[in-house]
Amino acid sequence: MKVAVTGASGHIGAAVCRELISRGYEVAVLVYNDISALQGLLVTVVKGNVLNKESLKELMGQCDAVIHTAGMIELGYKFIQEVYDINVTGTKNVLETAKESGVKKVVHFSSVHAFSHKPYDVPIDESRPFVTERSVFYDQTKRDGHVLAFEAAKEGLDVVIVCPTSAVGPPDHKPSKLGKAVIDIYKGSVPAVVKGGFDFADVRDMAKGAVSALTNGRAGETYILGGRYYTIKEFSDLVLEAKGTKKRLTELPLFVANIGLPFVKSYAYLTNKQPLYDKAYIDILQDGNKLTLSTKAQEELGYSVRELGETLTDTVEWFRTIGRL
């Protein structure tokens, strides 16, 4: 079987490519310009993007299946055309081209953030309602792409939907937002952390789950690929433990982060750097459900996830190896 991968140069896409190759699949990748994450891999490269249907036809015309990982993450509440185009219109293009090209299987990457995290005392599983129009705009676009994939499955396309939580781990070439957080914590660029957390899972385990979905995933079904909830404090402690230092960061209450937000924005503007955090980030920390269930993926896809300490130790070592630390 030959498998196409969109977003192949991204964090999840690059891990998916490696997992496919390790299992003996032929791989064709869609890349826009940056192929550093794919260096040394035996893949067929197609230049293009999910908004260019001709490049999608070239990619899928030679493949039996496609894993659609391409997406854009931008945390905020306002409408951003590029995020909508890539996450919604791009998904529509992938699904339409897959059907036109006779692709036998599609694995679509949605997100656990397509689901509402409220009520917080009820675990999140695949039956959870979607987010509303009041949510972070990225979450809305992942919801809309998810619905498109579900509708395509109802119309006869063999589509499986996977919903990762927060992906961390090697390889992480760009790096990802969490990869950058690991680097910043390691280098001492983060003075303190705020109260709150996320469900973190190893990107390599997510890749295994997605590739397993090619053969074991049921059409029209959704599978959450999660790990375990950790506070940002626990995350930073594990990074510093991997560094080999006894130093630990102080955890501040969220109200302190809210008070400091204008100063963080001003400092970022004056130094021409990305702010350490913004309002959407604070809201997401407050909106986190502490129990996300991957039971369905475990039972049907054989999904499993390693401990975060192992993941962050591997991440630190990988960044050291490539000279980022």
Side-chain angles (χ1 to χ4, degrees):
M1 182 183 288
K2 190 167 188 177
V3 182
V5 180
T6 69
S9 61
H11 188 204
I12 290 177
V16 165
C17 289
R18 285 164 172 77
E19 181 62 23
L20 285 166
I21 292 169
S22 75
R23 296 198 194 189
Y25 289 97
E26 291 184 68
V27 179
V29 299
L30 184 71
V31 295
Y32 183 55
N33 50 20
D34 181 13
I35 61 171
S36 59
L38 305 171
Q39 292 292 341
L41 299 185
L42 188 61
V43 296
T44 301
V45 177
V46 175
K47 290 292 185 72
N49 62 71
V50 292
L51 300 180
N52 183 331
K53 292 193 77 170
E54 290 304 312
S55 64
L56 287 172
K57 289 176 184 176
E58 182 183 350
L59 175 77
M60 295 187 208
Q62 54 184 302
C63 293
D64 306 291
V66 58
I67 300 181
H68 175 43
T69 78
M72 183 175 183
I73 300 175
E74 189 65 48
L75 302 181
Y77 292 98
K78 66 180 181 180
F79 178 91
I80 302 175
Q81 189 67 53
E82 187 178 12
V83 175
Y84 182 87
D85 289 345
I86 293 173
N87 294 352
V88 183
T89 305
T91 295
K92 182 174 182 287
N93 290 342
V94 167
L95 295 167
E96 288 178 350
T97 306
K99 187 172 184 179
E100 294 164 3
S101 302
V103 167
K104 298 181 180 67
K105 189 91 172 190
V106 178
V107 176
H108 167 66
F109 266 84
S110 178
S111 169
V112 75
H113 294 289
F115 299 118
S116 173
H117 282 225
K118 296 178 182 178
Y120 300 129
D121 58 346
V122 177
I124 296 176
D125 65 11
E126 293 81 0
S127 66
R128 181 60 67 98
F130 289 125
V131 295
T132 69
E133 301 301 314
R134 298 179 64 184
S135 68
V136 170
F137 183 65
Y138 166 79
D139 298 355
Q140 296 179 48
T141 65
K142 296 308 290 185
R143 172 203 64 197
D144 294 348
H146 191 125
V147 170
L148 287 171
F150 183 71
E151 292 297 326
K154 288 205 299 186
E155 293 170 6
L157 188 63
D158 191 349
V159 184
V160 177
I161 304 165
V162 294
C163 293
T165 56
S166 300
V168 63
D172 192 354
H173 288 267
K174 289 191 173 180
S176 66
K177 291 182 183 296
L178 280 178
K180 186 176 185 303
V182 170
I183 293 171
D184 289 345
I185 292 167
Y186 185 100
K187 290 185 173 181
S189 302
V190 179
V193 294
V194 294
K195 192 175 180 63
F198 298 102
D199 184 291
F200 296 101
D202 194 297
V203 70
R204 297 166 293 184
D205 296 326
M206 291 177 176
K208 288 179 180 179
V211 174
S212 293
L214 285 173
T215 51
N216 299 321
R218 292 182 288 128
E221 294 294 322
T222 299
Y223 300 89
I224 291 175
L225 305 180
R228 186 167 75 80
Y229 181 92
Y230 291 83
T231 66
I232 303 302
K233 166 69 172 168
E234 290 170 330
F235 183 96
S236 67
D237 284 352
L238 289 170
V239 172
L240 294 171
E241 184 178 314
K243 180 180 179 179
T245 179
K246 293 183 178 180
K247 177 185 176 182
R248 297 293 183 264
L249 298 181
T250 301
E251 183 183 64
L252 302 175
L254 280 172
F255 80 86
V256 175
N258 277 302
I259 293 171
L261 187 57
F263 302 98
V264 169
K265 287 184 175 180
S266 298
Y267 179 79
Y269 176 78
L270 292 171
T271 58
N272 197 28
K273 294 181 179 179
Q274 286 292 321
L276 283 173
Y277 62 89
D278 55 21
K279 184 179 185 303
Y281 177 77
I282 296 171
D283 291 346
I284 291 167
L285 285 174
Q286 292 175 309
D287 192 43
N289 190 302
K290 294 184 179 181
L291 187 55
T292 302
L293 301 180
S294 301
T295 308
K296 186 177 177 182
Q298 291 165 359
E299 293 175 349
E300 298 188 24
L301 307 181
Y303 176 70
S304 64
V305 66
R306 68 200 78 191
E307 290 294 319
L308 184 60
E310 178 184 345
T311 297
L312 291 176
T313 297
D314 290 350
T315 304
V316 166
E317 184 56 37
W318 189 82
F319 280 136
R320 283 174 178 155
T321 300
I322 66 168
R324 295 299 296 266
L325 295 177

